[in-house]
């Protein structure tokens, strides 16, 4: 079981209106302070979050997260996170989002950098002398892993262009009609529909594993990906209506030290709004389906395959949340998830001293179920047999225009408690 206990949390911020990548429109006097009208110019806001926690891989840890909105540009956001632990593990993240350029206003850039070292962790790769079957494959033992130190390093630069048709014909800036931070149905005559964008993303990812038994393995992948995103959700942070379809193609052209490969993945998500009830302000059923494949897996004499962490993977923050990240990985994968989300009418946080300083209009309950499987060929019949599963529940909090998520997932092997940001889909 993954242990994660939040020991303390202190929020420090300068209280100025936040900037919005997705511009809100207030509907009435109940709208939250951050939901300024569509004609108002948002200002910058800064927030910092020191925290203390303990995990099985890092031990006792301290860290901080900071967000700067509207600093570089009107609706840009800078995010920085850093942690350090008693066993000399660390995590560092830096991101810059929603940077825009060009006269059309349709070009956007996101930049992300991640570096981490876990001194004691489980990695599902081959090397355990007690097993001769592939680690991470479907049906593999949960004990078929390497225990040791893992270092991670990721860099992404995403160039996005919003196409001039559909909902994005007249403006690439999205607008959500909110009441107390909750999206409501558009009024008659308001523009609705899907925003379609294309993305070009150079990437670099690296993993180094040093097993306690002396094993050493270093893998990396670098290349580019192309993505088509067709998005008709009513509110990106926490949708209540609409749908989204994503299709992405990854290509690593290889080098003398690594194999070239091609990988594709696609995901469709749909959101059904069941309205309010006597006890809830909002009820939503969120559904998703995902699949991926590496078509170059068996091409050539030796195959053209990505490193284990870039294969079709399940387990982690968003898919099969009852398993550790990268628990399952192989050539292909399918995944299905359903999540019921409800925002209770009982919202006491506005009356709690100190917390009432922050924009915290709602918290949300979630119950979810998931199934998925990996396989060594893209065989849809085989991928739907004996699927692995996860069930769980969680709490979501809309704090300072960010969805903070706490999920507890249960599977046949273990349970996983995670504190992350953003909805899983």
């Amino acid at each position: 079981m993954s242990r994660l206990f939040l020991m303390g949390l202190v929020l420090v911020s300068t209280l100025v209106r936040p900037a919005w990548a997705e511009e809100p429109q207030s509907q009435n006097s109940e709208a939250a302070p951050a939901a300024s009208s569509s004609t108002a110019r948002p200002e910058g806001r800064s927030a910092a979050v020191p925290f203390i926690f303990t995990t099985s891989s890092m031990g006792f840890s301290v860290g901080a997260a900071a967000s700067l909105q509207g600093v570089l540009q009107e609706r840009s956001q800078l995010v920085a996170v850093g942690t350090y632990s008693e066993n000399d593990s660390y995590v560092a993240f830096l991101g810059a989002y929603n940077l825009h350029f060009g006269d059309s206003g349709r070009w956007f850039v996101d930049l992300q950098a991640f570096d981490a070292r876990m001194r004691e962790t489980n990695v599902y790769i081959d090397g355990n002398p007690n097993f001769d079957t592939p680690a991470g494959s479907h049906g593999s033992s949960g004990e078929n892993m390497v225990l040791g130190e893992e270092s991670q390093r990721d860099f992404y630069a995403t160039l996005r262009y919003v196409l001039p048709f559909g909902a994005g014909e007249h403006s690439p800036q999205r607008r959500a009609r909110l009441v107390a931070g909750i999206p409501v149905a558009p009024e008659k005559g308001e523009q609705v529909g899907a925003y379609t964008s294309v993305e070009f993303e150079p990437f670099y990812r690296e993993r180094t594993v040093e097993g306690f038994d002396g094993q050493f393995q270093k893998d990396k992948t670098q290349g580019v990906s192309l993505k088509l995103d067709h998005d008709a959700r009513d509110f990106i942070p926490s949708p209540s209506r609409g749908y989204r379809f994503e299709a992405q193609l990854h290509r690593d052209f290889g080098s003398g030290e690594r194999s070239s490969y091609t990988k594709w993945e696609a995901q469709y998500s749909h959101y059904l709004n069941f309205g309010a009830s006597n006890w809830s302000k909002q009820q939503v059923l969120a559904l998703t389906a995902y699949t991926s494949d590496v078509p170059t897996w068996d091409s050539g004499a030796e195959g053209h395959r990505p490193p284990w962490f870039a294969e079709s993977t399940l387990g982690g923050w968003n898919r099969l949340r009852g398993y550790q990240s990268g628990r399952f990985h192989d050539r292909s994968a399918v995944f299905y998830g359903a999540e019921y989300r409800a925002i209770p009418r009982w919202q006491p946080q506005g009356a709690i001293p100190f917390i009432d300083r922050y924009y915290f209009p709602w918290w949300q309950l979630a119950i979810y179920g998931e199934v998925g499987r990996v396989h060594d060929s893209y065989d849809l019949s085989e991928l739907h047999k004996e699927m692995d599963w996860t069930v769980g529940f969680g709490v979501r909090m809309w704090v300072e225009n960010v969805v903070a998520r706490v999920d507890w997932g249960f599977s046949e092997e273990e349970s996983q408690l995670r504190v992350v940001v953003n909805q899983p889909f």
Side-chain angles (χ1 to χ4, degrees):
M1 173 180 173
S2 172
R3 302 188 301 273
L4 178 54
F5 305 102
L6 193 63
M7 306 288 290
L9 180 64
V10 179
L11 300 177
V12 181
S13 72
T14 57
L15 296 180
V16 204
R17 282 189 189 274
W20 286 77
E22 178 176 19
E23 186 176 6
Q25 292 179 310
S26 61
Q27 186 178 25
N28 56 34
S29 59
E30 295 181 3
S36 57
S37 69
S38 60
T39 58
R41 175 171 178 161
E43 301 175 10
R45 182 183 181 102
S46 302
V49 185
F51 49 82
I52 305 171
F53 64 95
T54 179
T55 70
S56 56
S57 61
M58 296 180 65
F60 181 80
S61 308
V62 297
S67 173
L68 304 175
Q69 295 180 320
V71 176
L72 298 178
Q73 292 178 337
E74 183 180 349
R75 289 184 173 82
S76 66
Q77 182 180 24
L78 295 178
V79 177
V81 181
T83 66
Y84 191 81
S85 75
E86 60 180 346
N87 71 359
D88 201 27
S89 298
Y90 69 86
V91 174
F93 174 83
L94 181 64
Y97 301 97
N98 210 44
L99 303 173
H100 55 87
F101 65 95
D103 295 337
S104 68
R106 297 183 177 277
W107 291 97
F108 299 86
V109 174
D110 298 334
L111 304 172
Q112 298 180 89
F114 175 79
D115 188 64
R117 179 179 64 200
M118 307 298 176
R119 286 294 195 184
E120 183 177 344
T121 188
N122 302 328
V123 187
Y124 287 89
I125 58 175
D126 295 335
N128 190 320
N130 298 320
F131 298 90
D132 55 8
T133 56
S137 61
H138 174 70
S140 62
S141 170
E143 301 298 320
N144 188 1
M145 61 187 176
V146 172
L147 178 62
E149 176 182 314
E150 180 185 12
S151 298
Q152 306 177 10
R153 185 167 295 167
D154 296 341
F155 300 99
Y156 298 91
T158 306
L159 177 65
R160 182 172 62 258
Y161 179 75
V162 180
L163 297 175
F165 59 79
E169 179 178 0
H170 302 292
S171 173
Q173 294 289 348
R174 303 183 59 133
R175 290 171 172 80
R177 181 171 293 278
L178 305 177
V179 174
I182 299 175
V184 296
E187 293 184 344
K188 185 177 180 180
E190 285 188 340
Q191 183 175 353
V192 296
Y195 290 81
T196 303
S197 62
V198 291
E199 296 180 4
F200 174 80
E201 182 179 78
F203 63 85
Y204 177 92
R205 301 178 67 193
E206 179 184 295
R207 299 291 183 272
T208 302
V209 179
E210 299 182 54
F212 293 152
D213 59 357
Q215 178 180 355
F216 179 87
Q217 181 173 328
K218 183 175 182 178
D219 301 284
K220 69 177 181 179
T221 178
Q222 64 184 75
V224 296
S225 66
L226 296 174
K227 181 179 180 180
L228 174 67
D229 190 345
H230 186 68
D231 192 345
R233 296 174 294 173
D234 63 343
F235 186 46
I236 290 177
S238 189
S240 66
R241 296 177 177 85
Y243 64 89
R244 184 187 191 187
F245 173 73
E246 304 167 87
Q248 193 162 12
L249 181 69
H250 309 267
R251 177 64 181 175
D252 185 331
F253 294 95
S255 69
E257 60 180 8
R258 70 181 193 280
S259 174
S260 62
Y261 71 88
T262 300
K263 173 187 173 182
W264 65 264
E265 54 187 338
Q267 183 165 0
Y268 178 80
S269 302
H270 201 93
Y271 306 89
L272 303 174
N273 191 321
F274 293 147
S277 68
N278 292 333
W279 67 275
S280 66
K281 297 180 178 182
Q282 180 196 78
Q283 298 179 91
V284 176
L285 179 62
L287 306 169
T288 194
Y290 167 86
T291 187
S292 68
D293 183 44
V294 182
T296 59
W297 189 268
D298 293 322
S299 62
E302 299 180 354
H304 290 265
R305 306 179 180 185
W308 62 272
F309 57 89
E311 295 174 0
S312 299
T313 63
L314 295 176
W317 296 352
N318 298 327
R319 303 184 185 106
L320 292 187
R321 284 168 273 174
Y323 293 93
Q324 182 176 312
S325 296
R327 168 62 182 91
F328 299 106
H329 54 90
D330 213 320
R331 167 180 166 166
S332 59
V334 295
F335 167 81
Y336 303 96
E339 186 165 285
Y340 169 78
R341 304 168 184 168
I343 297 178
R345 293 188 180 277
W346 182 64
Q347 298 283 330
Q349 62 274 13
I352 301 176
F354 190 74
I355 293 179
D356 61 1
R357 296 177 55 194
Y358 301 94
Y359 178 49
F360 188 176
W362 55 260
W363 64 277
Q364 181 186 69
L365 294 171
I367 302 173
Y368 60 87
E370 305 169 325
V371 294
R373 180 180 168 173
V374 298
H375 191 48
D376 59 5
S377 66
Y378 196 73
D379 184 334
L380 287 176
S381 175
E382 195 68 28
L383 283 166
H384 287 83
K385 295 178 180 178
E386 301 177 348
M387 303 178 79
D388 298 292
W389 56 268
T390 287
V391 295
F393 61 90
V395 175
R396 317 290 156 75
M397 293 160 282
W398 181 235
V399 183
E400 294 293 344
N401 304 323
V402 174
V403 175
R405 169 161 59 105
V406 181
D407 277 343
W408 200 346
F410 301 85
S411 66
E412 290 182 292
E413 290 184 358
E414 57 181 340
S415 62
Q416 292 280 341
L417 178 64
R418 292 184 174 89
V419 181
V420 293
V421 297
N422 298 330
Q423 299 283 15
F425 55 87

